[in-house]
Amino acid sequence: MGLREVKRERTRRLIADKAFELFSDNGFGRTTVEQIAAAAEVGPSTLYRYFPTKEGLVLEFVDDCLADAVDWFHQQPAMDLPDGLRAVIERVLEQLERNPERIRAVFDLAEQTGSVSAHLNELIWRFRTDLADELVRRLPTDDPRRSEFVAALSAGIAMNIIETVVRVWVDTPDTVEAKALARRAMRLLSTGGVPLPGAPDA
Amino acid sequence: MGLREVKRERTRRLIADKAFELFSDNGFGRTTVEQIAAAAEVGPSTLYRYFPTKEGLVLEFVDDCLADAVDWFHQQPAMDLPDGLRAVIERVLEQLERNPERIRAVFDLAEQTGSVSAHLNELIWRFRTDLADELVRRLPTDDPRRSEFVAALSAGIAMNIIETVVRVWVDTPDTVEAKALARRAMRLLSTGGVPLPGAPDA
DNA sequence: TGGGAATTTGGTAGTGACTACCATATGGCT
DNA sequence: AGCCATATGGTAGTCACTACCAAATTCCCA
């Protein structure tokens, strides 16, 4: 790896770190990109070459975690769907748990700022569709409509567990661990502890 | 109701309709709020008094549908959770089905434009939390942590069904009806047609 | 090692969403 | 008619973000 890429990574990190610093000091809305650029000692146009939007500064880590999990799942060997879902869920949580303070900071910012929350939800939604695409490959192809439907619902369930667990986890003074919570959620679902909506005639 | 409120509603509708017209003609990104204001024959500052953001113009109807459903559910008599979830799901779909073309237009715009998609996801997420708040009231209070957890997961499942059904529905040349799809989804979930993630030791 | 090619950078100028504010106009009521 | 509350339009400004260009930096190979 050349000097170029090293420098690139360094400035990238520097910008993101300075951004988090300023956001937590002054709030997202009261921090301008010019201030961030100045703090990282780069020009604003350089900042925009690294991050597409102001919100992107905040969400890069989450994005990386989710992208990694999809990638990882993509190259996992075949396994049946329940195990697959569990594996993806745990993979995402492992990735997120690599950096608990950052995750907490991200969710704090999302709670305070509408546009961050919106972008975060957008990210989550993209993960859901990516995961659904991955799941559909592991389902029978005889009835594609049905398989797509099942994949979408399954991806939604996985995402639901992840999101719920993470939100509880970030609100909890860090004694709980995310994977244990996730297992509790899975158990609640599979034993009827969480009631599923009743179909009227089935 | 006085003349004032009538006029208010009329201009509100006028603005939103003109906005949709321009969006579908020229695209969301290539339409400015000034153009919309001009088309509706109001000043830009008036437009912003009616709608908080450009995206709000697009999403008002969805927002109303979801808010109505939460409201409606709030004043429903007690019922057990599976029935409650089914009822909310069907209520939302009924509301959305009142105006299929608009829903289709909204999802088309969301697909093309990131910021619209983000705001839509934000809306959906708010509905999810509102619904969870409502559900927790109907759960036992002896273990509040557990009840909140169950409520969050349940709301997520309901939202998941709604979202999946609507996305299939808007992509389908309108022969299918949404509630039938939703019932299919419920049946798939309650009969194991959709595999739940397997808890490792339960 | 020197020099041209490719890439990265900072700066400028501009667009457009959105806000704060004020003067004017309009409907509601006595 | 005339007063009060509210609705409106306009102005001026901030800030995120884009397109573009000229200068600096890194890379690579003769």
Side-chain angles (χ1 to χ4, degrees):
Chain A
M1 180 166 49
L3 176 58
R4 231 168 212 166
E5 318 216 355
V6 172
K7 264 183 112 174
R8 267 182 71 84
E9 279 318 298
R10 192 162 37 201
T11 38
R12 176 178 209 88
R13 284 273 278 269
L14 183 63
I15 293 171
D17 287 345
K18 290 289 179 189
F20 265 92
E21 213 172 288
L22 288 167
F23 288 156
S24 74
D25 285 354
N26 312 333
F28 185 83
R30 266 178 299 284
T31 307
T32 68
V33 282
E34 275 189 63
Q35 287 168 5
I36 300 168
E41 291 170 313
V42 295
S45 55
T46 301
L47 187 149
Y48 277 111
R49 242 172 240 117
Y50 283 94
F51 299 93
T53 63
K54 197 180 166 189
E55 290 81 12
L57 283 164
V58 176
L59 297 174
E60 193 193 31
F61 177 61
V62 177
D63 199 13
D64 288 347
C65 290
L66 296 179
D68 163 281
V70 169
D71 235 54
W72 174 83
F73 189 52
H74 181 74
Q75 53 201 51
Q76 284 303 105
M79 58 180 100
D80 63 0
L81 227 53
D83 287 342
L85 293 180
R86 179 168 58 81
V88 176
I89 291 169
E90 303 206 335
R91 175 77 182 192
V92 172
L93 295 176
E94 276 165 25
Q95 292 299 108
L96 293 174
E97 260 179 331
R98 276 177 9 215
N99 197 339
E101 317 82 39
R102 170 118 330 174
I103 295 298
R104 264 178 243 275
V106 169
F107 276 79
D108 280 351
L109 286 170
E111 210 162 321
Q112 290 161 17
T113 309
S115 72
V116 176
S117 175
H119 276 72
L120 174 59
N121 282 310
E122 172 75 1
L123 227 64
I124 289 171
W125 178 77
R126 262 214 307 279
F127 170 76
R128 218 191 101 173
T129 51
D130 289 347
L131 181 57
D133 287 347
E134 198 54 45
L135 290 174
V136 83
R137 288 181 37 224
R138 296 157 184 253
L139 286 168
T141 54
D142 57 325
D143 185 351
R145 283 277 174 84
R146 183 194 144 100
S147 289
E148 279 171 34
F149 202 54
V150 169
L153 286 169
S154 301
I157 288 172
M159 197 58 247
N160 180 23
I161 292 174
I162 293 170
E163 210 179 336
T164 305
V165 163
V166 172
R167 296 212 188 256
V168 170
W169 177 62
V170 297
D171 285 341
T172 307
D174 55 7
T175 51
V176 199
E177 55 162 331
K179 274 163 82 175
L181 265 175
R183 283 195 214 102
R184 219 182 117 201
M186 295 177 209
R187 223 171 291 131
L188 282 169
L189 277 170
S190 53
T191 60
V194 172
L196 300 172
D201 41 62
Chain B
M1 180 166 49
L3 176 60
R4 229 169 212 167
E5 317 216 357
V6 173
K7 261 182 111 175
R8 266 184 73 84
E9 278 318 297
R10 192 164 36 203
T11 39
R12 178 178 207 86
R13 285 271 279 270
L14 183 64
I15 293 171
D17 287 345
K18 289 290 179 187
F20 265 92
E21 213 172 287
L22 288 167
F23 288 156
S24 74
D25 284 356
N26 312 333
F28 184 84
R30 266 178 300 282
T31 306
T32 69
V33 280
E34 276 190 62
Q35 287 168 4
I36 300 167
E41 290 170 313
V42 296
S45 54
T46 301
L47 186 150
Y48 276 111
R49 240 172 243 116
Y50 283 93
F51 298 92
T53 63
K54 197 179 166 190
E55 288 82 11
L57 284 163
V58 176
L59 297 173
E60 195 194 31
F61 177 61
V62 177
D63 199 13
D64 288 347
C65 290
L66 296 179
D68 163 283
V70 170
D71 234 55
W72 173 85
F73 188 53
H74 181 74
Q75 52 202 51
Q76 283 304 105
M79 58 179 100
D80 63 359
L81 226 54
D83 287 343
L85 292 180
R86 180 168 56 82
V88 176
I89 291 169
E90 302 206 335
R91 175 75 182 194
V92 171
L93 295 176
E94 277 166 24
Q95 292 300 108
L96 292 174
E97 262 180 329
R98 277 177 9 214
N99 198 340
E101 317 83 40
R102 169 112 341 165
I103 296 298
R104 264 178 245 273
V106 170
F107 276 79
D108 280 352
L109 286 171
E111 209 161 322
Q112 291 161 17
T113 310
S115 73
V116 176
S117 174
H119 277 72
L120 174 60
N121 282 312
E122 172 75 0
L123 227 65
I124 289 171
W125 178 77
R126 262 214 305 281
F127 170 76
R128 218 191 100 170
T129 53
D130 289 347
L131 181 58
D133 288 346
E134 198 53 48
L135 290 174
V136 84
R137 289 181 36 224
R138 298 159 183 253
L139 286 168
T141 55
D142 57 326
D143 187 350
R145 283 280 176 82
R146 184 194 144 99
S147 289
E148 277 170 36
F149 201 55
V150 170
L153 287 169
S154 301
I157 288 172
M159 196 60 248
N160 180 22
I161 293 175
I162 293 170
E163 210 179 338
T164 306
V165 164
V166 171
R167 296 213 188 253
V168 171
W169 177 61
V170 297
D171 285 342
T172 309
D174 55 7
T175 49
V176 198
E177 54 163 332
K179 275 163 81 175
L181 265 175
R183 283 197 214 101
R184 219 182 118 200
M186 296 178 209
R187 221 170 293 131
L188 282 170
L189 276 172
S190 54
T191 59
V194 172
L196 300 172
D201 41 65

